[in-house]
Amino acid sequence: PNTIVQLSEIALGDSQPQVRQMASVFLRKKITQHWDALSTEFKDKLKPTILNALLSETEHLNRRSLA
């Protein structure tokens, strides 16, 4: 979970689109790999964060990387 939190912070907040995109790719892979092991509470906090990131991201490739 710590890695997922750190990657989500980078994917949401870095000023460089390329860095956000790479963090998004790694984040998506980590979430996919560990989804079943994550607590329900953590999942409930993560879902709106990802949705907000998708809505606020200005770069098309970064939105695709998050989805």
Side-chain angles (χ1 to χ4, degrees), residues 3-66:
T3 304
I4 293 174
V5 171
Q6 292 170 343
L7 285 170
S8 66
E9 289 173 0
I10 295 169
L12 294 173
D14 200 89
S15 62
Q16 298 180 350
Q18 299 88 351
V19 174
R20 290 195 315 268
Q21 182 183 9
M22 286 303 299
S24 297
V25 169
F26 290 134
L27 176 63
R28 183 172 37 99
K29 288 183 177 189
K30 285 289 183 188
I31 290 172
T32 302
Q33 290 172 352
H34 301 289
W35 186 255
D36 292 333
L38 297 174
S39 70
T40 304
E41 180 181 320
F42 188 78
K43 290 178 187 178
D44 290 342
K45 289 180 183 178
L46 187 62
K47 289 175 189 178
T49 303
I50 300 295
L51 287 174
N52 287 334
L54 284 168
L55 293 173
S56 65
E57 180 56 61
T58 57
E59 299 288 327
H60 175 72
L61 287 175
N62 291 358
R63 284 192 305 270
R64 287 185 55 107
S65 297
L66 274 168

